[in-house]
PDB file of all heavy atoms in Angstrom:
ATOM      1  N   TYR A 216      12.704  -1.590   7.868  1.00  0.00           N
ATOM      2  CA  TYR A 216      11.304  -1.169   7.893  1.00  0.00           C
ATOM      3  C   TYR A 216      10.706  -1.222   6.486  1.00  0.00           C
ATOM      4  O   TYR A 216       9.605  -1.747   6.278  1.00  0.00           O
ATOM      5  CB  TYR A 216      11.213   0.239   8.465  1.00  0.00           C
ATOM      6  CG  TYR A 216       9.909   0.962   8.202  1.00  0.00           C
ATOM      7  CD1 TYR A 216       8.804   0.756   9.025  1.00  0.00           C
ATOM      8  CD2 TYR A 216       9.799   1.861   7.148  1.00  0.00           C
ATOM      9  CE1 TYR A 216       7.613   1.428   8.794  1.00  0.00           C
ATOM     10  CE2 TYR A 216       8.613   2.536   6.912  1.00  0.00           C
ATOM     11  CZ  TYR A 216       7.521   2.320   7.727  1.00  0.00           C
ATOM     12  OH  TYR A 216       6.351   2.976   7.488  1.00  0.00           O
ATOM     13  N   MET A 217      11.425  -0.694   5.508  1.00  0.00           N
ATOM     14  CA  MET A 217      10.938  -0.652   4.132  1.00  0.00           C
ATOM     15  C   MET A 217      10.759  -2.058   3.564  1.00  0.00           C
ATOM     16  O   MET A 217       9.710  -2.385   2.989  1.00  0.00           O
ATOM     17  CB  MET A 217      11.910   0.145   3.258  1.00  0.00           C
ATOM     18  CG  MET A 217      11.563   0.137   1.779  1.00  0.00           C
ATOM     19  SD  MET A 217      12.700   1.136   0.777  1.00  0.00           S
ATOM     20  CE  MET A 217      14.228   0.197   0.971  1.00  0.00           C
ATOM     21  N   LEU A 218      11.764  -2.905   3.726  1.00  0.00           N
ATOM     22  CA  LEU A 218      11.711  -4.245   3.150  1.00  0.00           C
ATOM     23  C   LEU A 218      10.704  -5.136   3.888  1.00  0.00           C
ATOM     24  O   LEU A 218       9.984  -5.927   3.257  1.00  0.00           O
ATOM     25  CB  LEU A 218      13.103  -4.875   3.173  1.00  0.00           C
ATOM     26  CG  LEU A 218      14.155  -4.155   2.326  1.00  0.00           C
ATOM     27  CD1 LEU A 218      15.530  -4.781   2.525  1.00  0.00           C
ATOM     28  CD2 LEU A 218      13.776  -4.189   0.839  1.00  0.00           C
ATOM     29  N   ALA A 219      10.632  -4.993   5.206  1.00  0.00           N
ATOM     30  CA  ALA A 219       9.650  -5.770   5.962  1.00  0.00           C
ATOM     31  C   ALA A 219       8.234  -5.363   5.594  1.00  0.00           C
ATOM     32  O   ALA A 219       7.325  -6.208   5.545  1.00  0.00           O
ATOM     33  CB  ALA A 219       9.885  -5.582   7.466  1.00  0.00           C
ATOM     34  N   ALA A 220       8.027  -4.078   5.333  1.00  0.00           N
ATOM     35  CA  ALA A 220       6.699  -3.608   4.928  1.00  0.00           C
ATOM     36  C   ALA A 220       6.255  -4.274   3.637  1.00  0.00           C
ATOM     37  O   ALA A 220       5.075  -4.591   3.456  1.00  0.00           O
ATOM     38  CB  ALA A 220       6.716  -2.092   4.770  1.00  0.00           C
ATOM     39  N   SER A 221       7.202  -4.512   2.726  1.00  0.00           N
ATOM     40  CA  SER A 221       6.866  -5.176   1.468  1.00  0.00           C
ATOM     41  C   SER A 221       6.517  -6.641   1.701  1.00  0.00           C
ATOM     42  O   SER A 221       5.579  -7.173   1.099  1.00  0.00           O
ATOM     43  CB  SER A 221       8.034  -5.060   0.484  1.00  0.00           C
ATOM     44  OG  SER A 221       8.298  -3.694   0.195  1.00  0.00           O
ATOM     45  N   LEU A 222       7.281  -7.298   2.581  1.00  0.00           N
ATOM     46  CA  LEU A 222       6.992  -8.702   2.893  1.00  0.00           C
ATOM     47  C   LEU A 222       5.647  -8.830   3.594  1.00  0.00           C
ATOM     48  O   LEU A 222       4.811  -9.666   3.217  1.00  0.00           O
ATOM     49  CB  LEU A 222       8.109  -9.278   3.778  1.00  0.00           C
ATOM     50  CG  LEU A 222       7.941 -10.737   4.214  1.00  0.00           C
ATOM     51  CD1 LEU A 222       7.955 -11.667   3.004  1.00  0.00           C
ATOM     52  CD2 LEU A 222       9.028 -11.135   5.204  1.00  0.00           C
ATOM     53  N   PHE A 223       5.402  -7.997   4.602  1.00  0.00           N
ATOM     54  CA  PHE A 223       4.123  -8.032   5.302  1.00  0.00           C
ATOM     55  C   PHE A 223       2.972  -7.639   4.374  1.00  0.00           C
ATOM     56  O   PHE A 223       1.890  -8.220   4.426  1.00  0.00           O
ATOM     57  CB  PHE A 223       4.132  -7.070   6.500  1.00  0.00           C
ATOM     58  CG  PHE A 223       5.030  -7.492   7.621  1.00  0.00           C
ATOM     59  CD1 PHE A 223       5.718  -6.529   8.373  1.00  0.00           C
ATOM     60  CD2 PHE A 223       5.200  -8.814   7.956  1.00  0.00           C
ATOM     61  CE1 PHE A 223       6.547  -6.906   9.424  1.00  0.00           C
ATOM     62  CE2 PHE A 223       6.030  -9.201   9.007  1.00  0.00           C
ATOM     63  CZ  PHE A 223       6.701  -8.242   9.737  1.00  0.00           C
ATOM     64  N   GLY A 224       3.204  -6.642   3.534  1.00  0.00           N
ATOM     65  CA  GLY A 224       2.138  -6.093   2.721  1.00  0.00           C
ATOM     66  C   GLY A 224       1.556  -7.068   1.732  1.00  0.00           C
ATOM     67  O   GLY A 224       0.358  -7.059   1.451  1.00  0.00           O
ATOM     68  N   LEU A 225       2.402  -7.936   1.180  1.00  0.00           N
ATOM     69  CA  LEU A 225       1.922  -8.930   0.221  1.00  0.00           C
ATOM     70  C   LEU A 225       1.760 -10.299   0.864  1.00  0.00           C
ATOM     71  O   LEU A 225       1.546 -11.295   0.167  1.00  0.00           O
ATOM     72  CB  LEU A 225       2.890  -9.027  -0.966  1.00  0.00           C
ATOM     73  CG  LEU A 225       2.950  -7.782  -1.849  1.00  0.00           C
ATOM     74  CD1 LEU A 225       4.002  -7.948  -2.943  1.00  0.00           C
ATOM     75  CD2 LEU A 225       1.598  -7.472  -2.461  1.00  0.00           C
ATOM     76  N   GLY A 226       1.887 -10.346   2.195  1.00  0.00           N
ATOM     77  CA  GLY A 226       1.758 -11.602   2.911  1.00  0.00           C
ATOM     78  C   GLY A 226       0.566 -11.603   3.841  1.00  0.00           C
ATOM     79  O   GLY A 226      -0.552 -11.903   3.445  1.00  0.00           O
ATOM     80  N   LEU A 227       0.781 -11.216   5.101  1.00  0.00           N
ATOM     81  CA  LEU A 227      -0.256 -11.331   6.122  1.00  0.00           C
ATOM     82  C   LEU A 227      -1.172 -10.126   6.241  1.00  0.00           C
ATOM     83  O   LEU A 227      -2.144 -10.171   6.988  1.00  0.00           O
ATOM     84  CB  LEU A 227       0.396 -11.600   7.489  1.00  0.00           C
ATOM     85  CG  LEU A 227       0.912 -13.027   7.700  1.00  0.00           C
ATOM     86  CD1 LEU A 227       1.555 -13.155   9.076  1.00  0.00           C
ATOM     87  CD2 LEU A 227      -0.213 -14.040   7.554  1.00  0.00           C
ATOM     88  N   ASN A 228      -0.858  -9.024   5.565  1.00  0.00           N
ATOM     89  CA  ASN A 228      -1.780  -7.891   5.609  1.00  0.00           C
ATOM     90  C   ASN A 228      -3.136  -8.318   5.040  1.00  0.00           C
ATOM     91  O   ASN A 228      -3.197  -8.968   3.999  1.00  0.00           O
ATOM     92  CB  ASN A 228      -1.210  -6.727   4.793  1.00  0.00           C
ATOM     93  CG  ASN A 228      -2.005  -5.448   4.993  1.00  0.00           C
ATOM     94  OD1 ASN A 228      -3.188  -5.381   4.680  1.00  0.00           O
ATOM     95  ND2 ASN A 228      -1.363  -4.419   5.516  1.00  0.00           N
ATOM     96  N   PRO A 229      -4.253  -7.973   5.716  1.00  0.00           N
ATOM     97  CA  PRO A 229      -5.575  -8.391   5.224  1.00  0.00           C
ATOM     98  C   PRO A 229      -5.846  -7.993   3.778  1.00  0.00           C
ATOM     99  O   PRO A 229      -6.593  -8.692   3.079  1.00  0.00           O
ATOM    100  CB  PRO A 229      -6.533  -7.674   6.177  1.00  0.00           C
ATOM    101  CG  PRO A 229      -5.751  -7.503   7.437  1.00  0.00           C
ATOM    102  CD  PRO A 229      -4.329  -7.264   7.007  1.00  0.00           C
ATOM    103  N   ILE A 230      -5.236  -6.902   3.322  1.00  0.00           N
ATOM    104  CA  ILE A 230      -5.461  -6.474   1.943  1.00  0.00           C
ATOM    105  C   ILE A 230      -4.961  -7.533   0.964  1.00  0.00           C
ATOM    106  O   ILE A 230      -5.489  -7.657  -0.143  1.00  0.00           O
ATOM    107  CB  ILE A 230      -4.748  -5.133   1.662  1.00  0.00           C
ATOM    108  CG1 ILE A 230      -5.201  -4.064   2.638  1.00  0.00           C
ATOM    109  CG2 ILE A 230      -5.029  -4.659   0.237  1.00  0.00           C
ATOM    110  CD1 ILE A 230      -4.458  -2.744   2.479  1.00  0.00           C
ATOM    111  N   SER A 231      -3.951  -8.317   1.373  1.00  0.00           N
ATOM    112  CA  SER A 231      -3.379  -9.287   0.446  1.00  0.00           C
ATOM    113  C   SER A 231      -4.351 -10.408   0.121  1.00  0.00           C
ATOM    114  O   SER A 231      -4.066 -11.235  -0.753  1.00  0.00           O
ATOM    115  CB  SER A 231      -2.081  -9.872   1.020  1.00  0.00           C
ATOM    116  OG  SER A 231      -2.343 -10.684   2.146  1.00  0.00           O
ATOM    117  N   GLY A 232      -5.497 -10.443   0.801  1.00  0.00           N
ATOM    118  CA  GLY A 232      -6.527 -11.409   0.425  1.00  0.00           C
ATOM    119  C   GLY A 232      -6.934 -11.280  -1.027  1.00  0.00           C
ATOM    120  O   GLY A 232      -7.389 -12.253  -1.645  1.00  0.00           O
ATOM    121  N   HIS A 233      -6.756 -10.102  -1.599  1.00  0.00           N
ATOM    122  CA  HIS A 233      -7.161  -9.920  -3.000  1.00  0.00           C
ATOM    123  C   HIS A 233      -6.302 -10.757  -3.940  1.00  0.00           C
ATOM    124  O   HIS A 233      -6.747 -11.140  -5.031  1.00  0.00           O
ATOM    125  CB  HIS A 233      -7.110  -8.442  -3.398  1.00  0.00           C
ATOM    126  CG  HIS A 233      -5.804  -7.995  -3.959  1.00  0.00           C
ATOM    127  ND1 HIS A 233      -5.512  -8.060  -5.310  1.00  0.00           N
ATOM    128  CD2 HIS A 233      -4.702  -7.481  -3.368  1.00  0.00           C
ATOM    129  CE1 HIS A 233      -4.288  -7.602  -5.509  1.00  0.00           C
ATOM    130  NE2 HIS A 233      -3.776  -7.249  -4.340  1.00  0.00           N
ATOM    131  N   LEU A 234      -5.053 -11.065  -3.535  1.00  0.00           N
ATOM    132  CA  LEU A 234      -4.183 -11.870  -4.385  1.00  0.00           C
ATOM    133  C   LEU A 234      -4.748 -13.266  -4.598  1.00  0.00           C
ATOM    134  O   LEU A 234      -4.475 -13.914  -5.616  1.00  0.00           O
ATOM    135  CB  LEU A 234      -2.786 -11.968  -3.769  1.00  0.00           C
ATOM    136  CG  LEU A 234      -2.024 -10.642  -3.640  1.00  0.00           C
ATOM    137  CD1 LEU A 234      -0.771 -10.827  -2.796  1.00  0.00           C
ATOM    138  CD2 LEU A 234      -1.677 -10.081  -5.014  1.00  0.00           C
ATOM    139  N   ILE A 235      -5.545 -13.733  -3.642  1.00  0.00           N
ATOM    140  CA  ILE A 235      -6.217 -15.021  -3.772  1.00  0.00           C
ATOM    141  C   ILE A 235      -7.639 -14.840  -4.289  1.00  0.00           C
ATOM    142  O   ILE A 235      -8.112 -15.609  -5.128  1.00  0.00           O
ATOM    143  CB  ILE A 235      -6.217 -15.755  -2.417  1.00  0.00           C
ATOM    144  CG1 ILE A 235      -4.772 -16.098  -2.023  1.00  0.00           C
ATOM    145  CG2 ILE A 235      -7.067 -17.014  -2.459  1.00  0.00           C
ATOM    146  CD1 ILE A 235      -4.621 -16.652  -0.629  1.00  0.00           C
ATOM    147  N   ALA A 236      -8.298 -13.793  -3.819  1.00  0.00           N
ATOM    148  CA  ALA A 236      -9.704 -13.587  -4.189  1.00  0.00           C
ATOM    149  C   ALA A 236      -9.889 -13.340  -5.684  1.00  0.00           C
ATOM    150  O   ALA A 236     -10.908 -13.716  -6.257  1.00  0.00           O
ATOM    151  CB  ALA A 236     -10.271 -12.405  -3.401  1.00  0.00           C
TER     152      ALA A 236
END
Side-chain angles (χ1 to χ4, degrees):
Y216 163 84
M217 174 178 66
L218 297 174
S221 299
L222 179 63
F223 291 145
L225 293 176
L227 284 179
N228 190 298
I230 303 176
S231 68
H233 90 89
L234 297 170
I235 295 172

